[in-house]
Amino acid sequence: MRYYSTRNYNVTASLADAIFKGMAPDGGLFMPERIVRLPKAYLNNIGGMSLQEIGYALANFALSGDVEADALHDIVYDTLNFPIPLTPVADGRYALELFHGPTMAYKDVGTRFLGRLMAYFLQRQPGARRVNVLVPTSGDTGAAVANGFAQVPGIHVYVLYPQDGISYVQEAQFASSGSNVTALEVRGTFDDCKHMVEQAFMDEDLNRQITLTSATSINIARLLPQTFYYFYAYAQLMNISHEAASNFIIAIPSANLGNLASGILARRMGLPVKRFVSVENVNNIFYQYLNTGRFTPRPSVYSIAPALDAGNPTNFARITAMLGDVQQVREVVHGYSFNDDEIIQTITQVNQEHGYTLDPHSAIAWRGMEQDLQPGETGITLATAHPAKFPQPVEAAIGHELEMPLQLVRFLRGTRHVTTINSGYNALRNFLLQ
Ligand SMILES: *Cc1c(COP(=O)(O)O)cnc(C)c1O
């Protein structure tokens, strides 16, 4: 199948080109030319399938012309080697726990799949140059990408992060990942890191000498596997109640709208979700768009849900490519925005009333779901991170300490390798070429 650019339907690429380029040459985002609609019979039987079985079947529908069946089977089964349970929290309200992967955040699904798919294409081109993945991070993305690509042959990952800008646990999650991951501590801010990476991608001379690629959610291969868990949530809901499965909504904590774009893709494939609730923190660009019809990026501000601090949601073009104008978007997506106090309040309240602990990102989505639910509807909130990843706000909200899960402790025990470089593009360029 070909992948077209959201800026121009006639600019297309193969799957391999789309994933190694990341962004289309005209600055658009790649989208599949055809979105396969799943047969009704398949959806009716989905309740009996495991997460991996669903993932493999969906991957086959989307990628069978581009990836051999055996290899695709291994890529999917290896990506999804952790559970994604639909956990009942309150009457008619569930959390889809996407945080049982190696870095305990939802990005594990997309990055593990992307890493394995890139490795597959590299293995089929003997003599291919090493591919260098550059990731600026304020915490979570770097950890997920480093772990998604750790030990993947032919690929080296450089994680750029602000000195003093992230926690010790976050740094440990990528600085101890392995020999093909370099942790680059930058004497500057997160914005400096982002700029340095952007300049590297634009430096034609550098790009002739080494192969660079990106692993953010602009990469279509991160979005496809995220459709798997939407269908798996539906399968689990069917097993609980057919009635609930015929009348449900899904709430998502949104930043760059990657998760929302995957959800809409799943709906186009036939997921019978009534609508999505997209919930932002005070960086509410998409919420403003839903209200006013105008999409106006602006610099982001810090919050206690840091993975939502995005000022220019990159996947916006995909949302409108799939749904149309703002009127049509509003029919499928409702938007909300909450501040830090409201996040804390929600964590406290859900903990007291239901004995369930949400992380700040999941709490935002939960609050939006509660406000949007209509009588008779069932609500699913995507729980995108484990609460122990954000101990300070969560412990303050629930009034007691959280236990550190083994997965996170393991990172703290690993040997950390860090290189410190100056802020500014030259420091990065010199480091990459040395
Ligand atoms: C990245 C992230 C999000 C936001 O997802 P988008 O796809 O960028 O909208 C939400 N929660 C957590 C924990 C994340 O790491």
Side-chain angles (χ1 to χ4, degrees):
M1 183 164 21
R2 303 290 294 176
Y3 290 78
Y4 72 92
S5 163
T6 50
R7 293 217 175 140
N8 181 348
Y9 196 78
N10 296 316
V11 173
T12 68
S14 66
L15 175 65
D17 281 347
I19 71 168
F20 284 108
K21 288 204 176 93
M23 192 175 273
D26 62 356
L29 303 186
F30 286 115
M31 283 297 286
E33 275 191 335
R34 274 174 298 109
I35 296 175
V36 182
R37 185 109 193 149
L38 304 180
K40 264 250 144 49
Y42 174 82
L43 280 174
N44 290 341
N45 290 323
I46 204 169
M49 296 172 75
S50 71
L51 170 62
Q52 289 169 324
E53 285 167 346
I54 290 173
Y56 179 49
L58 295 181
N60 249 321
F61 280 120
L63 306 177
S64 60
D66 296 297
V67 186
E68 282 158 20
D70 284 358
L72 195 55
H73 180 275
D74 290 349
I75 290 169
V76 171
Y77 274 65
D78 201 26
T79 297
L80 301 172
N81 67 351
F82 50 87
I84 302 186
L86 185 71
T87 303
V89 175
D91 200 25
R93 285 158 288 166
Y94 298 83
L96 183 69
E97 296 181 352
L98 298 167
F99 52 70
H100 297 287
T103 73
M104 311 205 92
Y106 102 89
K107 291 184 179 71
D108 281 331
V109 176
T111 55
R112 288 172 68 79
F113 189 81
L114 174 60
R116 280 151 187 76
L117 198 57
M118 279 185 171
Y120 167 79
F121 284 119
L122 286 175
Q123 276 155 17
R124 291 159 55 92
Q125 308 173 2
R129 289 204 298 194
R130 184 175 99 170
V131 171
N132 301 285
V133 177
L134 299 186
V135 220
T137 189
S138 54
D140 277 359
T141 304
V145 172
N147 283 274
F149 286 77
Q151 321 323 332
V152 173
I155 299 181
H156 196 98
V157 179
Y158 296 90
V159 180
L160 282 80
Y161 61 102
Q163 190 175 40
D164 310 326
I166 69 172
S167 74
Y168 188 79
V169 185
Q170 283 178 317
E171 185 189 61
Q173 284 182 76
F174 50 77
S176 60
S177 289
S179 53
N180 69 328
V181 178
T182 301
L184 284 179
E185 178 186 62
V186 174
R187 295 191 184 94
T189 64
F190 174 52
D191 281 337
D192 294 331
C193 299
K194 268 203 300 205
H195 271 121
M196 290 160 74
V197 169
E198 280 160 14
Q199 280 181 283
F201 283 121
M202 287 185 309
D203 180 343
E204 285 175 19
D205 179 57
L206 178 74
N207 283 272
R208 268 191 294 274
Q209 299 187 56
I210 59 176
T211 304
L212 295 181
T213 192
S214 149
T216 66
S217 63
I218 63 167
N219 203 305
I220 185 68
R222 272 191 50 181
L223 300 200
L224 293 172
Q226 292 173 183
T227 61
F228 305 165
Y229 54 68
Y230 282 99
F231 282 97
Y232 184 54
Y234 175 62
Q236 294 179 80
L237 196 56
M238 287 251 279
N239 290 335
I240 296 166
S241 150
H242 272 76
E243 201 189 322
S246 66
N247 191 13
F248 71 101
I249 66 171
I250 298 177
I252 304 167
S254 284
N256 282 313
L257 306 173
N259 226 344
L260 179 62
S262 299
I264 293 168
L265 188 59
R267 193 168 184 273
R268 288 277 303 269
M269 294 165 76
L271 183 77
V273 57
K274 262 174 107 176
R275 64 181 177 282
F276 294 100
V277 182
S278 171
V279 197
E280 289 164 307
N281 63 10
V282 291
N283 298 289
N284 54 11
I285 315 293
F286 187 67
Y287 169 74
Q288 297 291 357
Y289 160 78
L290 289 172
N291 284 338
T292 65
R294 282 186 300 277
F295 182 75
T296 315
R298 58 173 194 270
S300 63
V301 297
Y302 290 106
S303 80
I304 59 166
L308 304 188
D309 297 346
N312 185 3
T314 42
N315 280 285
F316 178 69
R318 287 194 170 113
I319 309 280
T320 50
M322 287 186 282
L323 294 179
D325 63 19
V326 68
Q327 216 86 348
Q328 292 164 305
V329 176
R330 283 178 190 141
E331 280 167 25
V332 180
V333 190
H334 291 178
Y336 293 88
S337 162
F338 300 113
N339 64 27
D340 283 358
D341 287 343
E342 291 167 315
I343 298 173
I344 295 284
Q345 240 177 42
T346 307
I347 298 173
T348 307
Q349 194 181 347
V350 172
N351 184 261
Q352 282 173 356
E353 289 176 9
H354 310 300
Y356 187 83
T357 306
L358 294 161
D359 96 286
H361 306 81
S362 316
I364 279 209
W366 182 272
R367 195 171 175 114
M369 176 187 78
E370 291 277 24
Q371 290 203 5
D372 206 68
L373 262 182
Q374 299 299 311
E377 288 178 345
T378 291
I380 296 175
T381 280
L382 299 193
T384 49
H386 192 287
K389 288 194 83 174
F390 303 92
Q392 276 137 2
V394 175
E395 288 174 357
I398 65 174
H400 61 82
E401 266 184 43
L402 288 168
E403 205 174 312
M404 180 80 77
L406 274 180
Q407 263 139 295
L408 297 182
V409 175
R410 190 170 53 87
F411 288 116
L412 289 173
R413 290 213 197 99
T415 317
R416 290 155 10 110
H417 299 281
V418 173
T419 305
T420 307
I421 63 171
N422 281 330
S423 177
Y425 176 56
N426 275 337
L428 174 62
R429 187 175 201 278
N430 292 340
F431 184 82
L432 291 173
L433 289 176
Q434 97 198 348

